[in-house]
Amino acid sequence: MNSSVKRLTEAAILSAAFIIITMVALSTGLGYGLYLDFGVPIIFALIYFRCEFKYTLMCGISSVILILLVLGNFAAAILVSQSFLLGVLCGYLIAKKSEIFDDLYLGSIIGVMFMILIDIYARNIIGYSFMQEFQGYVDYMNNNTNILEAINNYLPFIKINLQVVYYLLIAIFPFGMVFSIYFISIMCAKRLRILNENGKRKYFMMRSMRNYGSFMCIRKKYFYSGLVYVILINILKMTDISLSNVYLNTIITCVEYLSYYFIFRDTHVLIGNYINIKFKNKSINLLYLIITLLLLFIIFKITILVYVLISIYMDRRFNLREKQDYIVNSHTLKLMEIYKI
């Protein structure tokens, strides 16, 4: 049988099975919650590994349309479409030739955009926007000084900015979703033996994360791209130019926070590994961690700047990033040879 016809047939069968399972789950009330948030995206990630992008996309679109027409439930169709997009995204990232933290960084950014698109879609259909509603709550609490003073009294060393908390929570949600779906999909696909070579490599990298996670970083091009983005956004903030569009503001700010996290994680890892190799003393490593946490709470942006400059200098001088990649890839290849996959 022609491979295209085979994939199309498999996609049709899997789509039919998914629609039946989803309709039963939603009609009984069991589908809301974990199934829509995790079950649906993992199913579509597995379909992607089996049928590739084109047929998985057809499967997802047809499933959403049929669920909408049969159940007439707009809210369920919106949630299924969001989960379906996240599943296809994670399937694509796992199957492509890249590193795990590159995937998580890109996946989190695209996940934010998916969340914004779904919110716009929901607003146009049911007339309600979750983000605009939460933005109204934040504006109200920011304008109410009594509430802010009561919160800050419990944390005298940290000034709580509810606007920052709002954007931080929005950024964390797609990151957590992508992170969970990504790794669960890899484990399920490994059990079903449908991972390609890139997926198998990432499976063993995932298995080694406990021991070698401190050597895993994003690529230089993503590191410097994120750094340039953060610098440009901070320059834009200095000009006092404000954007009135809630969605555009949310995307720009959430991507900034995600970039801060991955940039700082890389700098912290590079400097920490150098200290560990140089001194080989757990007490010094603990002291470095405590100092880092204190500086982040007291002078966040200055700490980020100093750590970034130090890590760039150390990487250029000692080529640390490439050495860390070599350690991780060598260990991964050995595991693949041992298990012969």
Side-chain angles (χ1 to χ4, degrees), residues 12 15 32 52 59 95 107 115 152 177 210 320 329:
S15 178
Y32 296 96
E52 297 183 355
C59 175
M115 192 167 66
N152 286 323
M177 290 293 292
R210 182 177 177 181
L320 293 177
N329 291 326

Side-chain angles (χ1 to χ4, degrees), residues 40 67 95 147 265 317 329:
V40 173
I67 288 169
I147 295 175
R265 183 195 172 276
R317 179 166 183 180
N329 291 326

Side-chain angles (χ1 to χ4, degrees), residues 153-164:
N153 284 336
Y154 289 100
L155 300 167
F157 300 106
I158 305 170
K159 292 298 179 183
I160 300 297
N161 186 325
L162 293 177
Q163 195 72 22
V164 172

Side-chain angles (χ1 to χ4, degrees), residues 22 43 61 107 128 146 172 187-188 216 223 228 234 248 272 304 317-318 320 327:
T22 303
I43 288 170
I61 293 171
Y128 180 80
N146 292 330
I172 288 172
M187 290 189 289
C188 293
M216 297 179 187
F223 178 84
V228 169
N234 280 276
L248 186 58
I304 295 285
R317 179 166 183 180
F318 303 109
L320 293 177
I327 291 171

Side-chain angles (χ1 to χ4, degrees), residues 4 16 19 24 44 73 77 85 96 99 128 150 153 157 162 168 187 200 222 225 268 292 313:
S4 298
I19 291 168
V24 170
F44 275 102
N73 189 332
L85 289 173
K96 74 190 289 279
E99 304 301 324
Y128 180 80
N153 284 336
F157 300 106
L162 293 177
L168 190 61
M187 290 189 289
K200 292 173 184 176
Y222 295 124
S225 297
H268 176 67
T292 299
Y313 168 76

Side-chain angles (χ1 to χ4, degrees), residues 97 102 124 167 183 246 273 297 321:
K97 189 177 181 180
D102 295 344
N124 292 333
Y167 288 122
F183 286 113
V246 174
N273 287 339
F297 280 116
R321 199 178 293 269

Side-chain angles (χ1 to χ4, degrees), residues 47 110 149 171:
I47 293 174
I110 299 171
E149 287 176 3

